[in-house]
Amino acid sequence: MASLLITHIGTLVGLHPEGLLMLRGTEMAQLPTLENAWLLCEDGLIADFGTMDALPVSLPNDLETLHAEGGYVLPSWCDSHSHIVFAAPREEEFAMKIAGKTYEEIAAAGGGILNSAAKMQLATEDAIFEAAALRLNDMIRQGTAALEIKSGYGLTVASELKMLRVIRRLKESFPIPIKASFLAAHAFPTAYKNDHQGYISLIIDQMLPQIAAEGLADYMDVFCEQGFFSVEETDQLLTAAAKYGLQPKIHANQLSVSGGVQIGLKHQAISVDHLEATDEAVIAALANGNTIATLLPSCSFYLGIPFANARALIQANVPVALASDYNPGSTPSGNMNFVLSLGCIKLKMMPEEAVNACTLNGAAAMELSDVTGSVTRGKKANLMITRAMTSLAFLPYSFGQSQIKTIIINGKIQ
Ligand code: NIG
Ligand code: FE
């Protein structure tokens, strides 16, 4: 495999030491950098880096050189929460939303997740794969190079398996690490509206055993929310998933203080995601723990719901990650550059904190921070090169505009 030497890097960003797997509290503001640098990629990994006054003396024969023209080099975005496998967008709900309907009202009117599930059930696996691959290509061009993807628009045995098989195909077809979360507990299908235990049994007795047998999921997710899955139902589902070794990454406190955080913690959740509705008890429950609070500011932006209280979480020494939540209902965008900007503008995170939340802590929320998420020797050479910028803050400051010039994945220019 060819080697790549990047020279004339204005600032090399995110030089966290080997073995540092997540950042919390005041550590989140620490983003070590090196000015006027070079970086060498070998065998798809970051082999070495240093300053331009001391270029490496012995270089591999098959070396390709790339002049960074004074741009920043950052670790690629690690997006730990997405729903990019869906059959069709939902612009009709966009219009309803503009006219004043809330997310809950749209769902109650037959829109929302059930609308996506109806379309998923009719679509072929190939069509779903092609549509998701297009979205993933767009995200990669915008700097994402590690991604978690959820099922949850199937809601039948066949359709949930179809979604998870599509995610497996994406894992096999793309050069970036992908993790799959099983989210059949996303909404109750209409037929089970008055028979919650019937649907929960379907998940526990039929879906989980097959998914585990085929190794189709890495994590268990539940939408723990009023009108969706209660705390008791979530507890039941997470208990069943644990028997198959599936740890939770759950949707908690999106629309209300639902108890989702506490039940996630009871089951050693890798992450509790959303947290737009947060009270002191939620912050206290997460304080000083290892469960990552994954905040999704694009969802707040699009739905017009409150933004999560990132400052209180950081203050309470909670590791905070930022992710896109890309899905057709609450966040029709997978652009992590915009997530970064919202992290700063709306969540009041400092640029360094937001970059760490979109990289190392995002990787940690997928248990990938030993292989990606920082510029560390031995990690994947997944990097972005920006235009020359006056400071790191220019990246989130220039919201809605891309500063990325070049994407490198596994040491290869894309
Ligand atoms: O994370 N809240 C649950 N799931 C998605 C939205 C799903 C949808 O509306 O299609 C979310 O926001
Ligand atoms: Fe989500």
Side-chain angles (χ1 to χ4, degrees):
M1 189 187 264
S3 306
L4 177 68
L5 177 69
I6 311 171
T7 64
H8 302 88
I9 300 169
T11 307
L12 183 59
V13 176
L15 281 66
H16 291 298
E18 196 187 332
L20 183 66
L21 297 183
M22 64 167 82
L23 300 158
R24 61 177 73 242
T26 52
E27 292 167 358
M28 285 203 60
Q30 290 164 19
L31 186 66
T33 57
L34 194 64
E35 305 283 309
N36 200 19
W38 56 268
L39 181 141
L40 177 66
C41 312
E42 279 185 296
D43 300 324
L45 304 177
I46 296 168
D48 206 357
F49 49 80
T51 48
M52 286 301 289
D53 56 4
L55 272 164
V57 271
S58 77
L59 285 165
N61 296 330
D62 55 349
L63 188 73
E64 186 180 351
T65 307
L66 179 63
H67 197 299
E69 295 170 348
Y72 276 62
V73 170
L74 293 103
S76 299
W77 306 131
C78 300
D79 184 353
S80 65
H81 182 135
S82 87
H83 311 245
I84 67 159
V85 175
F86 55 87
R90 306 208 305 254
E91 296 102 307
E92 64 283 10
E93 294 177 15
F94 181 47
M96 291 167 79
K97 220 178 65 63
I98 295 169
K101 292 264 183 291
T102 66
Y103 183 78
E104 294 95 320
E105 285 165 348
I106 292 167
I113 295 163
L114 296 183
N115 179 351
S116 282
K119 290 172 182 156
M120 176 65 66
Q121 281 155 25
L122 295 175
T124 66
E125 192 177 305
D126 283 345
I128 298 294
F129 172 80
E130 294 305 331
L134 273 179
R135 292 176 200 121
L136 184 46
N137 273 319
D138 282 348
M139 294 168 93
I140 289 173
R141 270 198 292 275
Q142 290 166 336
T144 296
L147 182 66
E148 181 259 18
I149 311 172
K150 300 169 190 300
S151 71
Y153 292 125
L155 312 186
T156 65
V157 179
S159 199
E160 281 294 313
L161 285 169
K162 177 165 70 183
M163 283 191 79
L164 289 167
R165 289 186 185 126
V166 166
I167 301 174
R168 183 172 61 194
R169 265 172 83 181
L170 294 168
K171 286 186 184 190
E172 290 162 359
S173 317
F174 280 81
I176 66 167
I178 294 175
K179 293 282 177 110
S181 297
F182 174 49
L183 178 58
H186 200 187
F188 284 98
T190 314
Y192 292 95
K193 208 171 153 208
N194 300 312
D195 179 18
H196 283 195
Q197 280 308 311
Y199 186 55
I200 289 171
S201 299
L202 191 72
I203 296 175
I204 294 178
D205 301 331
Q206 295 193 44
M207 297 188 198
L208 269 173
Q210 272 205 63
I211 286 160
E214 291 186 44
L216 285 170
D218 301 295
Y219 302 109
M220 180 72 178
D221 196 346
V222 177
F223 186 19
C224 183
E225 185 59 59
Q226 276 169 34
F228 294 84
F229 290 78
S230 70
V231 169
E232 293 70 30
E233 291 162 351
T234 305
D235 193 17
Q236 202 184 342
L237 287 156
L238 296 184
T239 304
K243 299 205 176 98
Y244 298 98
L246 298 180
Q247 267 179 281
K249 278 173 68 68
I250 77 165
H251 282 74
N253 296 40
Q254 179 177 7
L255 308 169
S256 65
V257 178
S258 65
V261 167
Q262 287 85 345
I263 201 66
L265 289 172
K266 179 185 163 192
H267 292 276
Q268 277 92 44
I270 302 288
S271 68
V272 288
D273 301 25
H274 276 283
L275 313 188
E276 289 87 348
T278 303
D279 60 8
E280 279 175 22
V282 166
I283 310 273
L286 285 165
N288 304 309
N290 285 330
T291 294
I292 296 165
T294 299
L295 311 182
L296 311 163
S298 297
C299 172
S300 297
F301 171 80
Y302 180 79
L303 290 185
I305 62 174
F307 285 85
N309 194 344
R311 287 266 52 101
L313 289 161
I314 293 172
Q315 178 86 32
N317 223 24
V318 179
V320 172
L322 291 172
S324 72
D325 198 20
Y326 192 179
N327 74 75
S330 74
T331 320
S333 162
N335 187 345
M336 285 295 284
N337 302 288
F338 187 55
V339 171
L340 181 82
S341 291
L342 289 177
C344 296
I345 298 164
K346 293 294 188 180
L347 301 184
K348 309 291 177 210
M349 296 172 80
M350 294 306 284
E352 293 79 8
E353 292 174 322
V355 168
N356 280 324
C358 289
T359 55
L360 190 67
N361 281 5
M366 297 181 273
E367 298 178 289
L368 288 171
S369 56
D370 54 339
V371 295
T372 192
S374 63
V375 174
T376 305
R377 291 178 186 85
K379 281 198 181 179
K380 285 180 177 299
N382 289 356
L383 306 158
M384 355 180 214
I385 306 180
T386 72
R387 295 177 185 157
M389 302 189 294
T390 37
S391 75
L392 179 74
F394 190 77
L395 200 58
Y397 159 84
S398 57
F399 75 91
Q401 305 187 76
S402 175
Q403 303 305 325
I404 302 172
K405 256 182 35 182
T406 309
I407 300 287
I408 293 162
I409 293 181
N410 299 326
K412 285 202 202 93
I413 301 170
Q414 300 297 296

